[in-house]
Amino acid sequence: MDRADTDGKRSYLIGQAEFSARRLEPALYLVATPIGNLGDITIRALETLAAADVLACEDTRVTRVLLDRYGIRRRTTAYHEHNAAEAGPKLVEAVLAGKSVALVSDAGTPLVSDPGFRLVGEVVEAGGRVVPIPGASALLAALTASGLPSDTFLFAGFLPVKAGQRKTRLEELRAVPATLVFYESPRRLADCLAAMAEVLGERDAAIGRELTKTFEEMRGGALAALAQAYAGEDTPKGEVVICVAPPQEAASTVEDVDALLLSLAGEMGASRAAGEAAKMTGARKADLYRRLMELKSDG
């Protein structure tokens, strides 16, 4: 059973020092929590967790570890994808009734690959206030350590589990002119990397695993090489983030594309040439194949 604050005190500990938490204005507070190392919590997050009238967690047991570490004696309530329909309206009602509600996920920033966006939408629609309390994020930790371009990136979350659907999704993302960031299960990592190499082409990538934890790992290389390496190893443990470099800069003119197609067609079959050109330019293979056939008939 969750341990509750029985004496009315709302405080938190940093080392041996105890700090009183100031009262919060009515709102939904989105509190980022550590992705591994509990020392990555912010002071503002601690104060918010200690002061909130309602503390909603993805998993109360996971959050209890964090609260105990910092001496926060608060009762928690569950909010996750399986009870969102029932618990969500109660949390919205609490905000509208003048209470402060803090929302945390198991790790990282709420709403990133979890159902919290529904609750935010409901609070906003009802006229309530939403306050972000920023902090740890696995995707940003991996991106900044990847060595890949970070000026423009797209977080694509988890890819579909089924191979066909995964390939279709990767096809949709192939031409995006940005570093792609994915979350993935360690059990599917090798297969996922192989699919990426097939669809996205020979791009550089970086794998972040167990970020901020004792056995943190960042491994970089070409997609195909990484797929082969992980396929030959035991299934890795821990959370995984995959960062994939943007596509090569597309040819800037029709003449450039035509020249590329003809050059590739001189070394391989038309279908494969169109496929390779698609990987290099981001254009659709079918369109490039059609254009190559036109060029051959004109020639």
Side-chain angles (χ1 to χ4, degrees), residues 116-136:
F117 76 93
R118 303 173 195 164
L119 179 60
V120 170
E122 292 166 357
V123 171
V124 170
E125 184 177 358
R129 182 184 176 202
V130 177
V131 180
I133 309 295

Side-chain angles (χ1 to χ4, degrees), residues 16-28:
Q16 300 301 314
E18 182 176 7
F19 299 86
S20 295
R22 296 167 293 181
R23 293 199 64 82
L24 298 171
E25 295 182 0
L28 172 64

Side-chain angles (χ1 to χ4, degrees), residues 257-277 280 288 292-293 295-296:
V257 174
D258 289 351
L260 175 63
L261 284 169
L262 291 173
S263 175
L264 291 171
E267 303 175 3
M268 59 191 74
S271 178
R272 184 181 172 192
E276 291 299 315
M280 297 171 68
L288 292 171
L292 179 56
M293 294 299 98
L295 292 171
K296 286 191 171 185

Side-chain angles (χ1 to χ4, degrees), residues 141-143 145-147 206-209 211 216-220 230 241 243:
L143 176 65
S146 69
I207 312 301
R209 188 179 63 82
L211 296 174
E216 176 180 281
E217 176 188 50
M218 287 295 303
R219 184 188 297 192
Y230 279 107
V241 184
C243 300

Side-chain angles (χ1 to χ4, degrees), residues 143 146 148-155 176-181 243-247:
L143 176 65
S146 69
L148 300 176
S150 57
D151 55 338
T152 305
F153 66 91
L154 172 69
F155 176 59
V176 175
T179 295
L180 303 176
V181 185
C243 300
V244 181

Side-chain angles (χ1 to χ4, degrees), residues 60-148:
T60 58
R61 296 164 299 179
V62 173
T63 301
R64 177 55 55 199
V65 175
L66 176 65
L67 298 181
D68 286 347
R69 164 71 179 271
Y70 291 99
I72 299 174
R73 300 175 62 86
R74 302 301 315 285
R75 187 181 300 278
T76 57
T77 185
Y79 176 83
H80 46 72
E81 61 180 342
H82 302 297
N83 76 342
E86 177 184 356
K90 296 179 181 178
L91 297 176
V92 175
E93 183 179 346
V95 173
L96 299 181
K99 293 185 177 181
S100 55
V101 176
L103 176 68
V104 300
S105 61
D106 285 352
T109 301
L111 276 68
V112 180
S113 287
D114 75 31
F117 76 93
R118 303 173 195 164
L119 179 60
V120 170
E122 292 166 357
V123 171
V124 170
E125 184 177 358
R129 182 184 176 202
V130 177
V131 180
I133 309 295
S137 169
L139 78 92
L140 292 178
L143 176 65
T144 54
S146 69
L148 300 176

